[in-house]
Amino acid sequence: MCGIVGYLGNKKACPILVNGLKKLEYRGYDSAGICVLEKNTLAVKKDKGRVKNLETLDGINSLEGTLGIAHTRWATHGKPSKDNAHPHMDNSKTFAVVHNGIIENFKELREFLGNNNYKFYSETDSEVIPNLIHYYYSKGNNFIKSVNLACKDLKGSYALEIICKNEPDTLIVTRKDSPLVIGTSENGTYISSDIPALIAYTNNFCFLNDTELALITKNNIEFFDCNLNSINKEFSNVELSAESCDKGNFEDYMLKEIYEQPNSIRETIGNTLNGEKIVFDTLQLSKKYLSTIKQIYIVACGTAMHAGLGVKPNFEKFCNIPVCVDIASEFRYRNPLIDENTLCIYISQSGETADTIAALKLAKSKGAKTIAVTNVIESSITREADYFVYTHAGPEIAVASTKAYTSQLVLLNIMALYFAEILETISKEEINKLKKEILLLSKKVDEILKNTDKIKRLAKQIYNKRDVFFIGRGLDHTVALESALKLKEISYIHSEAYAAGELKHGPIALIEKNVPVISIVTNPDLADKTISNIQEVITRGATSIVITNQNINESNFDFVYKIPETLEYYTPIISVIPLQILAYYVTKEKGLDVDKPRNLAKSVTVE
Ligand code: G6P
């Protein structure tokens, strides 16, 4: 939540900061602000609302300074307002700070600073930071020492950029449990919460570890550990194109990301299936180790958790190991039974989700090995896990996850086969058949994307409904869950998913005339059962919408969309596509902002 950008170089800072913020809006978009060092004063422009409002603020275009910091906010402490927007300054207006994260002990720090005559003008936790830095500065410490001492007092998470009006050519940045990347080019040093915001300027990046600090001056960057000992850090080239971070010819990021899926699935597969045996560059497990595993946990939040549900039966079937899928925010507080015979897999598109990372740390502390599956290169989770595997889906910017989900499903399915291959729990022939089918998936997704008119028409029929229900059995139920989430999070239509057999135990009471019930029917063994459940809602007046690869009697339903066939294990990767498209077009019909739905943020770094 919240995105930060910083710049020090030989160009005007303001346009670079504002462009960077636009790329980070997926992290939060209720208020935005910048601070540029103008001669010897810190000029702050900020307000509630989107980054585009910031561009219209008085005087913003006449800022000439080449050093600045910027922030786009997702409110935690204090409502979206000008006062609560970042940057925040200390009382003497010597320091300006932007902060991504949460200061858990801000009340104590406020009290301490209050007792030292500091006043507060916002309701945020962040405002203590510039004042605390000033407190140490006023005691005779230099800039970096003051920042360092202030950070030692902070409990919680932070990525910080700090500038000081007395130090015209200096920017200090530091982080703990919130992301921060530093990029350089001949035009200066760029800071951001993530790479896509900077890719237009540089490919050369360095990532700070927790509690490290960087002292950035016009011609130099010095790195320090938390005790201000000088340390060496490497910059490395990150292969990411500027186009992959842009909307291109698409109206919205979400639509672009939906259409990228044939390619992102291919990227996820990468070289893993090229050889006789499955290979992951960053994950090598032995038969000896895997044979000790009695239980697998798959832990994640939101859409990533749905991806976990979508592979659980496949892991169990292929590897013969029980799998439990859990929500990270539940798992971490319920003292799960974990020991060295447990393997824990964490899925996180961003690699920054606070609950998922905390759940990972918990398993590690109990002796389990941990594998992180993430999309973001060098994200925090990669540093915490014993092993990590990248999904390589490319930057996902729209808040609603689409291509990350299908890539997670593909990658985890390959991982299940990798385990099975090592454990020899299924035959070579069976594994080859499964691998072959994985290689066909992207073509099948492409077929759907070329055939969307019917779904667009359906969107026109349901966009003004109050409730939509999704049902399915087995893996189809997991797609129902994901599709209901997709629809509700961007269109604000109340949507619920149920295991088809559960409808009669309560939810069917909600079915009345013309309520859309969307059924996913892909498993031949379960199709008849689900069709009986559809019949039950038709009898109660529902509009029946069916997504299927089965030969059903289409005249029995109001709407049928046929999807390509695949092996039963991989149906979620196919059946979710029309439902992503449906959520997108329903939202467009309602005239809402698809990429930035209300109240949400893509990277959830709060617990
Ligand atoms: C947020 C996003 C979801 C995402 C979830 C988990 O709620 O809006 O799209 O599924 O966080 O995020 P992660 O980055 O851990 O996959």
Side-chain angles (χ1 to χ4, degrees), residues 64 94 103 131 236 292 308 346 370 372 426 514 560:
E64 296 290 334
T94 306
I103 304 306
N131 287 304
S236 56
T292 66
Y346 295 83
T370 56
I426 49 173
N514 297 335
V560 175

Short mmCIF file of all heavy atoms in Angstrom, two decimals, residues 64 94 103 131 236 292 308 346 370 372 426 514 560:
data_model
loop_
_atom_site.label_atom_id
_atom_site.label_comp_id
_atom_site.label_asym_id
_atom_site.label_seq_id
_atom_site.Cartn_x
_atom_site.Cartn_y
_atom_site.Cartn_z
N GLU A 64 11.42 23.85 -10.23
CA GLU A 64 12.61 23.69 -11.07
C GLU A 64 13.62 22.71 -10.48
O GLU A 64 14.57 22.30 -11.15
CB GLU A 64 13.33 25.06 -11.21
CG GLU A 64 12.53 26.13 -11.93
CD GLU A 64 12.39 25.82 -13.40
OE1 GLU A 64 13.25 25.13 -13.95
OE2 GLU A 64 11.37 26.26 -13.99
N THR A 94 12.39 21.58 8.16
CA THR A 94 13.77 21.28 7.73
C THR A 94 13.81 19.97 6.92
O THR A 94 14.58 19.83 5.99
CB THR A 94 14.69 21.14 8.97
OG1 THR A 94 14.53 22.31 9.75
CG2 THR A 94 16.15 20.97 8.57
N ILE A 103 3.84 2.54 11.02
CA ILE A 103 4.62 2.69 12.26
C ILE A 103 3.72 2.25 13.41
O ILE A 103 2.76 2.95 13.78
CB ILE A 103 5.11 4.16 12.44
CG1 ILE A 103 5.91 4.59 11.21
CG2 ILE A 103 5.93 4.29 13.72
CD1 ILE A 103 7.07 3.70 10.82
N ASN A 131 9.65 14.47 12.42
CA ASN A 131 9.88 15.15 13.70
C ASN A 131 10.92 14.42 14.55
O ASN A 131 11.72 15.05 15.24
CB ASN A 131 8.54 15.30 14.44
CG ASN A 131 7.70 16.38 13.79
OD1 ASN A 131 8.14 17.53 13.65
ND2 ASN A 131 6.50 16.01 13.36
N SER A 236 22.54 -4.32 -10.66
CA SER A 236 22.49 -5.32 -11.73
C SER A 236 21.43 -4.93 -12.76
O SER A 236 20.50 -4.18 -12.46
CB SER A 236 22.21 -6.71 -11.16
OG SER A 236 21.03 -6.65 -10.43
N THR A 292 10.47 -37.23 2.76
CA THR A 292 10.18 -37.00 4.19
C THR A 292 8.93 -36.14 4.40
O THR A 292 8.48 -35.95 5.53
CB THR A 292 11.36 -36.27 4.89
OG1 THR A 292 11.47 -34.95 4.32
CG2 THR A 292 12.68 -37.00 4.73
N GLY A 308 -3.97 -21.44 -5.28
CA GLY A 308 -3.62 -22.58 -4.42
C GLY A 308 -4.72 -23.63 -4.42
O GLY A 308 -4.46 -24.83 -4.57
N TYR A 346 4.24 -20.66 -0.58
CA TYR A 346 3.58 -19.35 -0.44
C TYR A 346 3.45 -18.74 -1.82
O TYR A 346 4.43 -18.68 -2.56
CB TYR A 346 4.41 -18.44 0.48
CG TYR A 346 4.44 -19.01 1.87
CD1 TYR A 346 5.35 -20.01 2.19
CD2 TYR A 346 3.49 -18.66 2.80
CE1 TYR A 346 5.34 -20.60 3.43
CE2 TYR A 346 3.46 -19.25 4.05
CZ TYR A 346 4.38 -20.22 4.36
OH TYR A 346 4.35 -20.82 5.60
N THR A 370 10.44 -23.67 3.07
CA THR A 370 9.45 -22.78 2.45
C THR A 370 9.84 -22.48 1.00
O THR A 370 11.00 -22.26 0.69
CB THR A 370 9.36 -21.45 3.23
OG1 THR A 370 10.67 -20.86 3.28
CG2 THR A 370 8.85 -21.65 4.63
N ALA A 372 8.64 -19.86 -2.11
CA ALA A 372 7.81 -18.72 -2.51
C ALA A 372 7.61 -18.75 -4.01
O ALA A 372 8.55 -18.96 -4.77
CB ALA A 372 8.48 -17.41 -2.11
N ILE A 426 3.88 -41.03 -10.17
CA ILE A 426 3.05 -41.37 -11.34
C ILE A 426 3.97 -41.81 -12.48
O ILE A 426 5.15 -41.50 -12.49
CB ILE A 426 2.11 -40.23 -11.82
CG1 ILE A 426 2.85 -38.90 -11.96
CG2 ILE A 426 0.90 -40.09 -10.94
CD1 ILE A 426 1.97 -37.82 -12.59
N ASN A 514 -34.82 -13.85 -12.30
CA ASN A 514 -33.81 -13.11 -13.07
C ASN A 514 -32.48 -12.88 -12.36
O ASN A 514 -31.69 -12.05 -12.79
CB ASN A 514 -34.36 -11.75 -13.53
CG ASN A 514 -35.52 -11.93 -14.49
OD1 ASN A 514 -35.61 -12.97 -15.14
ND2 ASN A 514 -36.40 -10.96 -14.55
N VAL A 560 -25.04 -20.17 -22.94
CA VAL A 560 -23.97 -21.18 -22.80
C VAL A 560 -22.74 -20.66 -23.53
O VAL A 560 -22.83 -20.19 -24.67
CB VAL A 560 -24.41 -22.54 -23.39
CG1 VAL A 560 -23.23 -23.53 -23.35
CG2 VAL A 560 -25.60 -23.10 -22.62
#
